PDB file of all heavy atoms in Angstrom:
ATOM      1  N   SER A 158     117.617 402.714 133.121  1.00 94.00           N
ATOM      2  CA  SER A 158     118.136 403.671 134.121  1.00 94.00           C
ATOM      3  C   SER A 158     117.044 404.143 135.083  1.00 94.00           C
ATOM      4  O   SER A 158     115.873 404.084 134.737  1.00 94.00           O
ATOM      5  CB  SER A 158     118.775 404.870 133.398  1.00 94.00           C
ATOM      6  OG  SER A 158     117.776 405.682 132.858  1.00 94.00           O
ATOM      7  N   ALA A 159     117.464 404.586 136.232  1.00 95.00           N
ATOM      8  CA  ALA A 159     116.580 405.134 137.227  1.00 95.00           C
ATOM      9  C   ALA A 159     115.821 406.391 136.735  1.00 95.00           C
ATOM     10  O   ALA A 159     114.623 406.576 136.976  1.00 95.00           O
ATOM     11  CB  ALA A 159     117.311 405.504 138.495  1.00 95.00           C
ATOM     12  N   ALA A 160     116.549 407.156 135.895  1.00 95.00           N
ATOM     13  CA  ALA A 160     115.895 408.393 135.306  1.00 95.00           C
ATOM     14  C   ALA A 160     114.803 408.021 134.357  1.00 95.00           C
ATOM     15  O   ALA A 160     113.729 408.612 134.380  1.00 95.00           O
ATOM     16  CB  ALA A 160     116.967 409.188 134.594  1.00 95.00           C
ATOM     17  N   ARG A 161     115.038 406.977 133.543  1.00 93.00           N
ATOM     18  CA  ARG A 161     113.949 406.523 132.606  1.00 93.00           C
ATOM     19  C   ARG A 161     112.769 405.925 133.412  1.00 93.00           C
ATOM     20  O   ARG A 161     111.642 406.094 133.041  1.00 93.00           O
ATOM     21  CB  ARG A 161     114.483 405.509 131.655  1.00 93.00           C
ATOM     22  CG  ARG A 161     115.495 406.119 130.612  1.00 93.00           C
ATOM     23  CD  ARG A 161     114.774 407.090 129.688  1.00 93.00           C
ATOM     24  NE  ARG A 161     115.530 407.324 128.502  1.00 93.00           N
ATOM     25  CZ  ARG A 161     115.193 408.242 127.617  1.00 93.00           C
ATOM     26  NH1 ARG A 161     114.118 408.995 127.783  1.00 93.00           N
ATOM     27  NH2 ARG A 161     115.929 408.496 126.541  1.00 93.00           N
ATOM     28  N   ALA A 162     113.116 405.236 134.460  1.00 95.00           N
ATOM     29  CA  ALA A 162     112.068 404.596 135.326  1.00 95.00           C
ATOM     30  C   ALA A 162     111.155 405.713 135.867  1.00 95.00           C
ATOM     31  O   ALA A 162     109.915 405.586 135.844  1.00 95.00           O
ATOM     32  CB  ALA A 162     112.706 403.779 136.365  1.00 95.00           C
ATOM     33  N   ALA A 163     111.788 406.784 136.381  1.00 96.00           N
ATOM     34  CA  ALA A 163     111.028 407.879 136.939  1.00 96.00           C
ATOM     35  C   ALA A 163     110.119 408.518 135.834  1.00 96.00           C
ATOM     36  O   ALA A 163     108.937 408.844 136.129  1.00 96.00           O
ATOM     37  CB  ALA A 163     111.928 408.906 137.563  1.00 96.00           C
ATOM     38  N   GLU A 164     110.688 408.665 134.599  1.00 94.00           N
ATOM     39  CA  GLU A 164     109.915 409.275 133.583  1.00 94.00           C
ATOM     40  C   GLU A 164     108.665 408.456 133.238  1.00 94.00           C
ATOM     41  O   GLU A 164     107.576 408.955 133.043  1.00 94.00           O
ATOM     42  CB  GLU A 164     110.727 409.431 132.352  1.00 94.00           C
ATOM     43  CG  GLU A 164     111.770 410.517 132.355  1.00 94.00           C
ATOM     44  CD  GLU A 164     112.651 410.578 131.141  1.00 94.00           C
ATOM     45  OE1 GLU A 164     112.287 409.887 130.146  1.00 94.00           O
ATOM     46  OE2 GLU A 164     113.690 411.215 131.129  1.00 94.00           O
ATOM     47  N   MET A 165     108.854 407.094 133.156  1.00 95.00           N
ATOM     48  CA  MET A 165     107.722 406.271 132.799  1.00 95.00           C
ATOM     49  C   MET A 165     106.620 406.246 133.944  1.00 95.00           C
ATOM     50  O   MET A 165     105.462 406.244 133.636  1.00 95.00           O
ATOM     51  CB  MET A 165     108.201 404.784 132.551  1.00 95.00           C
ATOM     52  CG  MET A 165     109.032 404.696 131.275  1.00 95.00           C
ATOM     53  SD  MET A 165     108.140 405.260 129.824  1.00 95.00           S
ATOM     54  CE  MET A 165     107.020 403.931 129.562  1.00 95.00           C
ATOM     55  N   ARG A 166     107.041 406.298 135.175  1.00 96.00           N
ATOM     56  CA  ARG A 166     106.092 406.404 136.274  1.00 96.00           C
ATOM     57  C   ARG A 166     105.307 407.728 136.154  1.00 96.00           C
ATOM     58  O   ARG A 166     104.059 407.744 136.354  1.00 96.00           O
ATOM     59  CB  ARG A 166     106.811 406.305 137.629  1.00 96.00           C
ATOM     60  CG  ARG A 166     107.348 404.926 137.959  1.00 96.00           C
ATOM     61  CD  ARG A 166     107.796 404.869 139.391  1.00 96.00           C
ATOM     62  NE  ARG A 166     108.525 403.701 139.696  1.00 96.00           N
ATOM     63  CZ  ARG A 166     109.919 403.623 139.691  1.00 96.00           C
ATOM     64  NH1 ARG A 166     110.582 404.701 139.422  1.00 96.00           N
ATOM     65  NH2 ARG A 166     110.481 402.504 139.914  1.00 96.00           N
ATOM     66  N   GLU A 167     106.024 408.814 135.787  1.00 95.00           N
ATOM     67  CA  GLU A 167     105.339 410.121 135.708  1.00 95.00           C
ATOM     68  C   GLU A 167     104.340 410.118 134.518  1.00 95.00           C
ATOM     69  O   GLU A 167     103.249 410.599 134.607  1.00 95.00           O
ATOM     70  CB  GLU A 167     106.386 411.222 135.425  1.00 95.00           C
ATOM     71  CG  GLU A 167     107.224 411.551 136.654  1.00 95.00           C
ATOM     72  CD  GLU A 167     108.358 412.491 136.431  1.00 95.00           C
ATOM     73  OE1 GLU A 167     108.407 413.050 135.276  1.00 95.00           O
ATOM     74  OE2 GLU A 167     109.175 412.676 137.303  1.00 95.00           O
ATOM     75  N   TRP A 168     104.757 409.516 133.397  1.00 95.00           N
ATOM     76  CA  TRP A 168     103.806 409.373 132.245  1.00 95.00           C
ATOM     77  C   TRP A 168     102.632 408.550 132.636  1.00 95.00           C
ATOM     78  O   TRP A 168     101.479 408.870 132.205  1.00 95.00           O
ATOM     79  CB  TRP A 168     104.544 408.831 131.058  1.00 95.00           C
ATOM     80  CG  TRP A 168     105.388 409.799 130.288  1.00 95.00           C
ATOM     81  CD1 TRP A 168     106.758 409.695 130.183  1.00 95.00           C
ATOM     82  CD2 TRP A 168     104.937 410.982 129.647  1.00 95.00           C
ATOM     83  NE1 TRP A 168     107.160 410.814 129.407  1.00 95.00           N
ATOM     84  CE2 TRP A 168     106.101 411.575 129.078  1.00 95.00           C
ATOM     85  CE3 TRP A 168     103.744 411.547 129.437  1.00 95.00           C
ATOM     86  CZ2 TRP A 168     106.061 412.783 128.384  1.00 95.00           C
ATOM     87  CZ3 TRP A 168     103.702 412.767 128.762  1.00 95.00           C
ATOM     88  CH2 TRP A 168     104.812 413.374 128.196  1.00 95.00           C
ATOM     89  N   GLY A 169     102.850 407.496 133.380  1.00 95.00           N
ATOM     90  CA  GLY A 169     101.711 406.660 133.768  1.00 95.00           C
ATOM     91  C   GLY A 169     100.705 407.428 134.638  1.00 95.00           C
ATOM     92  O   GLY A 169      99.490 407.297 134.390  1.00 95.00           O
ATOM     93  N   GLU A 170     101.215 408.251 135.515  1.00 96.00           N
ATOM     94  CA  GLU A 170     100.360 409.023 136.378  1.00 96.00           C
ATOM     95  C   GLU A 170      99.546 410.063 135.529  1.00 96.00           C
ATOM     96  O   GLU A 170      98.352 410.297 135.681  1.00 96.00           O
ATOM     97  CB  GLU A 170     101.176 409.699 137.465  1.00 96.00           C
ATOM     98  CG  GLU A 170     101.707 408.803 138.525  1.00 96.00           C
ATOM     99  CD  GLU A 170     102.553 409.556 139.560  1.00 96.00           C
ATOM    100  OE1 GLU A 170     102.613 410.766 139.527  1.00 96.00           O
ATOM    101  OE2 GLU A 170     103.201 408.871 140.406  1.00 96.00           O
ATOM    102  N   ARG A 171     100.290 410.672 134.635  1.00 95.00           N
ATOM    103  CA  ARG A 171      99.648 411.703 133.802  1.00 95.00           C
ATOM    104  C   ARG A 171      98.629 411.182 132.856  1.00 95.00           C
ATOM    105  O   ARG A 171      97.576 411.760 132.659  1.00 95.00           O
ATOM    106  CB  ARG A 171     100.785 412.370 132.972  1.00 95.00           C
ATOM    107  CG  ARG A 171     100.306 413.498 132.045  1.00 95.00           C
ATOM    108  CD  ARG A 171     101.513 414.240 131.529  1.00 95.00           C
ATOM    109  NE  ARG A 171     101.086 415.241 130.545  1.00 95.00           N
ATOM    110  CZ  ARG A 171     101.882 416.136 130.014  1.00 95.00           C
ATOM    111  NH1 ARG A 171     103.159 416.183 130.392  1.00 95.00           N
ATOM    112  NH2 ARG A 171     101.444 416.970 129.108  1.00 95.00           N
ATOM    113  N   LEU A 172      98.891 409.965 132.355  1.00 96.00           N
ATOM    114  CA  LEU A 172      97.969 409.356 131.365  1.00 96.00           C
ATOM    115  C   LEU A 172      96.914 408.411 132.020  1.00 96.00           C
ATOM    116  O   LEU A 172      96.091 407.797 131.374  1.00 96.00           O
ATOM    117  CB  LEU A 172      98.750 408.521 130.352  1.00 96.00           C
ATOM    118  CG  LEU A 172      99.668 409.395 129.420  1.00 96.00           C
ATOM    119  CD1 LEU A 172     100.709 408.487 128.698  1.00 96.00           C
ATOM    120  CD2 LEU A 172      98.855 410.186 128.419  1.00 96.00           C
ATOM    121  N   ASP A 173      97.007 408.298 133.379  1.00 95.00           N
ATOM    122  CA  ASP A 173      96.084 407.467 134.143  1.00 95.00           C
ATOM    123  C   ASP A 173      96.272 405.967 133.744  1.00 95.00           C
ATOM    124  O   ASP A 173      95.243 405.316 133.483  1.00 95.00           O
ATOM    125  CB  ASP A 173      94.639 407.912 134.019  1.00 95.00           C
ATOM    126  CG  ASP A 173      93.728 407.351 135.070  1.00 95.00           C
ATOM    127  OD1 ASP A 173      94.278 406.975 136.153  1.00 95.00           O
ATOM    128  OD2 ASP A 173      92.525 407.215 134.852  1.00 95.00           O
ATOM    129  N   VAL A 174      97.497 405.535 133.623  1.00 96.00           N
ATOM    130  CA  VAL A 174      97.794 404.148 133.273  1.00 96.00           C
ATOM    131  C   VAL A 174      98.580 403.582 134.424  1.00 96.00           C
ATOM    132  O   VAL A 174      99.513 404.164 134.965  1.00 96.00           O
ATOM    133  CB  VAL A 174      98.641 404.081 131.977  1.00 96.00           C
ATOM    134  CG1 VAL A 174      99.004 402.568 131.713  1.00 96.00           C
ATOM    135  CG2 VAL A 174      97.910 404.673 130.807  1.00 96.00           C
ATOM    136  N   GLU A 175      98.192 402.357 134.858  1.00 95.00           N
ATOM    137  CA  GLU A 175      98.909 401.700 135.928  1.00 95.00           C
ATOM    138  C   GLU A 175     100.246 401.159 135.474  1.00 95.00           C
ATOM    139  O   GLU A 175     100.272 400.206 134.692  1.00 95.00           O
ATOM    140  CB  GLU A 175      98.054 400.524 136.455  1.00 95.00           C
ATOM    141  CG  GLU A 175      98.622 399.793 137.656  1.00 95.00           C
ATOM    142  CD  GLU A 175      97.804 398.616 138.078  1.00 95.00           C
ATOM    143  OE1 GLU A 175      96.625 398.492 137.588  1.00 95.00           O
ATOM    144  OE2 GLU A 175      98.275 397.833 138.870  1.00 95.00           O
ATOM    145  N   VAL A 176     101.330 401.800 135.767  1.00 97.00           N
ATOM    146  CA  VAL A 176     102.672 401.477 135.305  1.00 97.00           C
ATOM    147  C   VAL A 176     103.552 400.887 136.383  1.00 97.00           C
ATOM    148  O   VAL A 176     103.694 401.509 137.485  1.00 97.00           O
ATOM    149  CB  VAL A 176     103.364 402.676 134.677  1.00 97.00           C
ATOM    150  CG1 VAL A 176     104.788 402.344 134.250  1.00 97.00           C
ATOM    151  CG2 VAL A 176     102.552 403.186 133.451  1.00 97.00           C
ATOM    152  N   ARG A 177     104.100 399.744 136.126  1.00 97.00           N
ATOM    153  CA  ARG A 177     105.194 399.215 136.978  1.00 97.00           C
ATOM    154  C   ARG A 177     106.464 399.139 136.188  1.00 97.00           C
ATOM    155  O   ARG A 177     106.401 398.760 135.038  1.00 97.00           O
ATOM    156  CB  ARG A 177     104.798 397.812 137.543  1.00 97.00           C
ATOM    157  CG  ARG A 177     105.888 397.163 138.335  1.00 97.00           C
ATOM    158  CD  ARG A 177     105.294 395.968 139.089  1.00 97.00           C
ATOM    159  NE  ARG A 177     104.772 394.946 138.239  1.00 97.00           N
ATOM    160  CZ  ARG A 177     105.488 393.920 137.677  1.00 97.00           C
ATOM    161  NH1 ARG A 177     106.807 393.916 137.868  1.00 97.00           N
ATOM    162  NH2 ARG A 177     104.946 393.055 136.863  1.00 97.00           N
ATOM    163  N   VAL A 178     107.557 399.541 136.807  1.00 97.00           N
ATOM    164  CA  VAL A 178     108.846 399.642 136.084  1.00 97.00           C
ATOM    165  C   VAL A 178     109.751 398.526 136.534  1.00 97.00           C
ATOM    166  O   VAL A 178     109.922 398.277 137.689  1.00 97.00           O
ATOM    167  CB  VAL A 178     109.509 400.999 136.309  1.00 97.00           C
ATOM    168  CG1 VAL A 178     110.836 401.032 135.603  1.00 97.00           C
ATOM    169  CG2 VAL A 178     108.610 402.148 135.870  1.00 97.00           C
ATOM    170  N   SER A 179     110.358 397.863 135.531  1.00 97.00           N
ATOM    171  CA  SER A 179     111.350 396.805 135.831  1.00 97.00           C
ATOM    172  C   SER A 179     112.631 397.079 135.111  1.00 97.00           C
ATOM    173  O   SER A 179     112.697 397.843 134.114  1.00 97.00           O
ATOM    174  CB  SER A 179     110.816 395.474 135.365  1.00 97.00           C
ATOM    175  OG  SER A 179     109.774 395.011 136.211  1.00 97.00           O
ATOM    176  N   ASP A 180     113.716 396.500 135.604  1.00 97.00           N
ATOM    177  CA  ASP A 180     115.008 396.715 135.009  1.00 97.00           C
ATOM    178  C   ASP A 180     115.150 395.945 133.691  1.00 97.00           C
ATOM    179  O   ASP A 180     114.594 394.862 133.502  1.00 97.00           O
ATOM    180  CB  ASP A 180     116.119 396.190 135.976  1.00 97.00           C
ATOM    181  CG  ASP A 180     117.529 396.607 135.507  1.00 97.00           C
ATOM    182  OD1 ASP A 180     118.122 395.803 134.794  1.00 97.00           O
ATOM    183  OD2 ASP A 180     117.956 397.762 135.913  1.00 97.00           O
ATOM    184  N   TRP A 181     115.905 396.565 132.763  1.00 97.00           N
ATOM    185  CA  TRP A 181     116.066 395.925 131.462  1.00 97.00           C
ATOM    186  C   TRP A 181     116.637 394.512 131.554  1.00 97.00           C
ATOM    187  O   TRP A 181     116.428 393.675 130.706  1.00 97.00           O
ATOM    188  CB  TRP A 181     117.014 396.817 130.605  1.00 97.00           C
ATOM    189  CG  TRP A 181     117.077 396.305 129.195  1.00 97.00           C
ATOM    190  CD1 TRP A 181     118.109 395.494 128.648  1.00 97.00           C
ATOM    191  CD2 TRP A 181     116.189 396.443 128.124  1.00 97.00           C
ATOM    192  NE1 TRP A 181     117.867 395.167 127.350  1.00 97.00           N
ATOM    193  CE2 TRP A 181     116.690 395.790 127.011  1.00 97.00           C
ATOM    194  CE3 TRP A 181     114.966 397.162 128.007  1.00 97.00           C
ATOM    195  CZ2 TRP A 181     115.998 395.758 125.795  1.00 97.00           C
ATOM    196  CZ3 TRP A 181     114.287 397.159 126.792  1.00 97.00           C
ATOM    197  CH2 TRP A 181     114.861 396.426 125.675  1.00 97.00           C
ATOM    198  N   ALA A 182     117.413 394.256 132.614  1.00 97.00           N
ATOM    199  CA  ALA A 182     118.015 392.906 132.786  1.00 97.00           C
ATOM    200  C   ALA A 182     116.936 391.837 132.851  1.00 97.00           C
ATOM    201  O   ALA A 182     117.214 390.654 132.615  1.00 97.00           O
ATOM    202  CB  ALA A 182     118.866 392.903 134.061  1.00 97.00           C
ATOM    203  N   ASP A 183     115.683 392.212 133.222  1.00 98.00           N
ATOM    204  CA  ASP A 183     114.602 391.267 133.349  1.00 98.00           C
ATOM    205  C   ASP A 183     113.657 391.369 132.086  1.00 98.00           C
ATOM    206  O   ASP A 183     112.540 390.820 132.147  1.00 98.00           O
ATOM    207  CB  ASP A 183     113.796 391.566 134.603  1.00 98.00           C
ATOM    208  CG  ASP A 183     114.600 391.445 135.874  1.00 98.00           C
ATOM    209  OD1 ASP A 183     115.448 390.471 135.906  1.00 98.00           O
ATOM    210  OD2 ASP A 183     114.449 392.295 136.771  1.00 98.00           O
ATOM    211  N   ALA A 184     114.145 391.927 131.033  1.00 98.00           N
ATOM    212  CA  ALA A 184     113.242 392.156 129.852  1.00 98.00           C
ATOM    213  C   ALA A 184     112.691 390.879 129.228  1.00 98.00           C
ATOM    214  O   ALA A 184     111.640 390.969 128.528  1.00 98.00           O
ATOM    215  CB  ALA A 184     114.000 392.938 128.787  1.00 98.00           C
ATOM    216  N   GLU A 185     113.362 389.774 129.450  1.00 98.00           N
ATOM    217  CA  GLU A 185     112.825 388.527 128.898  1.00 98.00           C
ATOM    218  C   GLU A 185     111.403 388.224 129.409  1.00 98.00           C
ATOM    219  O   GLU A 185     110.617 387.622 128.742  1.00 98.00           O
ATOM    220  CB  GLU A 185     113.718 387.349 129.197  1.00 98.00           C
ATOM    221  CG  GLU A 185     115.043 387.379 128.465  1.00 98.00           C
ATOM    222  CD  GLU A 185     115.894 386.132 128.756  1.00 98.00           C
ATOM    223  OE1 GLU A 185     115.434 385.235 129.432  1.00 98.00           O
ATOM    224  OE2 GLU A 185     117.032 386.087 128.245  1.00 98.00           O
ATOM    225  N   GLN A 186     111.118 388.752 130.637  1.00 98.00           N
ATOM    226  CA  GLN A 186     109.822 388.484 131.263  1.00 98.00           C
ATOM    227  C   GLN A 186     108.701 389.168 130.450  1.00 98.00           C
ATOM    228  O   GLN A 186     107.518 388.775 130.448  1.00 98.00           O
ATOM    229  CB  GLN A 186     109.802 388.978 132.699  1.00 98.00           C
ATOM    230  CG  GLN A 186     110.755 388.204 133.592  1.00 98.00           C
ATOM    231  CD  GLN A 186     110.798 388.762 135.049  1.00 98.00           C
ATOM    232  OE1 GLN A 186     109.919 389.564 135.384  1.00 98.00           O
ATOM    233  NE2 GLN A 186     111.790 388.387 135.777  1.00 98.00           N
ATOM    234  N   ALA A 187     109.079 390.265 129.762  1.00 98.00           N
ATOM    235  CA  ALA A 187     108.119 391.075 129.017  1.00 98.00           C
ATOM    236  C   ALA A 187     107.445 390.211 127.903  1.00 98.00           C
ATOM    237  O   ALA A 187     106.331 390.432 127.575  1.00 98.00           O
ATOM    238  CB  ALA A 187     108.777 392.256 128.394  1.00 98.00           C
ATOM    239  N   LEU A 188     108.239 389.264 127.407  1.00 98.00           N
ATOM    240  CA  LEU A 188     107.776 388.502 126.250  1.00 98.00           C
ATOM    241  C   LEU A 188     106.559 387.567 126.453  1.00 98.00           C
ATOM    242  O   LEU A 188     106.007 387.007 125.580  1.00 98.00           O
ATOM    243  CB  LEU A 188     108.910 387.654 125.614  1.00 98.00           C
ATOM    244  CG  LEU A 188     110.234 388.472 125.381  1.00 98.00           C
ATOM    245  CD1 LEU A 188     111.261 387.620 124.690  1.00 98.00           C
ATOM    246  CD2 LEU A 188     109.933 389.775 124.543  1.00 98.00           C
ATOM    247  N   ARG A 189     106.200 387.445 127.742  1.00 97.00           N
ATOM    248  CA  ARG A 189     105.025 386.647 128.084  1.00 97.00           C
ATOM    249  C   ARG A 189     103.778 387.420 128.317  1.00 97.00           C
ATOM    250  O   ARG A 189     102.711 386.891 128.604  1.00 97.00           O
ATOM    251  CB  ARG A 189     105.322 385.788 129.307  1.00 97.00           C
ATOM    252  CG  ARG A 189     106.536 384.882 129.140  1.00 97.00           C
ATOM    253  CD  ARG A 189     106.803 383.938 130.290  1.00 97.00           C
ATOM    254  NE  ARG A 189     107.974 383.162 129.974  1.00 97.00           N
ATOM    255  CZ  ARG A 189     108.010 381.982 129.234  1.00 97.00           C
ATOM    256  NH1 ARG A 189     106.865 381.581 128.660  1.00 97.00           N
ATOM    257  NH2 ARG A 189     109.080 381.291 128.997  1.00 97.00           N
ATOM    258  N   ALA A 190     103.855 388.743 128.123  1.00 98.00           N
ATOM    259  CA  ALA A 190     102.738 389.620 128.290  1.00 98.00           C
ATOM    260  C   ALA A 190     101.698 389.416 127.118  1.00 98.00           C
ATOM    261  O   ALA A 190     102.146 388.973 125.987  1.00 98.00           O
ATOM    262  CB  ALA A 190     103.113 391.085 128.309  1.00 98.00           C
ATOM    263  N   PRO A 191     100.404 389.706 127.301  1.00 97.00           N
ATOM    264  CA  PRO A 191      99.469 389.578 126.242  1.00 97.00           C
ATOM    265  C   PRO A 191      99.787 390.506 125.023  1.00 97.00           C
ATOM    266  O   PRO A 191      99.484 390.161 123.876  1.00 97.00           O
ATOM    267  CB  PRO A 191      98.145 389.979 126.896  1.00 97.00           C
ATOM    268  CG  PRO A 191      98.371 389.760 128.318  1.00 97.00           C
ATOM    269  CD  PRO A 191      99.778 390.018 128.589  1.00 97.00           C
ATOM    270  N   LEU A 192     100.424 391.613 125.324  1.00 98.00           N
ATOM    271  CA  LEU A 192     100.838 392.514 124.262  1.00 98.00           C
ATOM    272  C   LEU A 192     102.182 393.128 124.672  1.00 98.00           C
ATOM    273  O   LEU A 192     102.369 393.641 125.739  1.00 98.00           O
ATOM    274  CB  LEU A 192      99.811 393.664 124.059  1.00 98.00           C
ATOM    275  CG  LEU A 192     100.245 394.841 123.156  1.00 98.00           C
ATOM    276  CD1 LEU A 192     100.455 394.361 121.756  1.00 98.00           C
ATOM    277  CD2 LEU A 192      99.214 395.960 123.187  1.00 98.00           C
ATOM    278  N   VAL A 193     103.146 392.961 123.740  1.00 98.00           N
ATOM    279  CA  VAL A 193     104.497 393.572 123.929  1.00 98.00           C
ATOM    280  C   VAL A 193     104.737 394.637 122.901  1.00 98.00           C
ATOM    281  O   VAL A 193     104.590 394.425 121.733  1.00 98.00           O
ATOM    282  CB  VAL A 193     105.571 392.461 123.762  1.00 98.00           C
ATOM    283  CG1 VAL A 193     106.951 393.051 124.045  1.00 98.00           C
ATOM    284  CG2 VAL A 193     105.292 391.256 124.646  1.00 98.00           C
TER     285      VAL A 193
END
Side-chain angles (χ1 to χ4, degrees):
S158 70
R161 289 296 196 187
E164 287 178 14
M165 291 303 284
R166 289 191 191 95
E167 289 173 9
W168 281 116
E170 291 177 7
R171 179 168 175 172
L172 295 164
D173 197 24
V174 178
E175 183 184 348
V176 175
R177 177 165 59 86
V178 179
S179 288
D180 190 270
W181 185 264
D183 299 319
E185 289 184 6
Q186 297 176 15
L188 308 186
R189 300 187 181 278
L192 170 62
V193 182

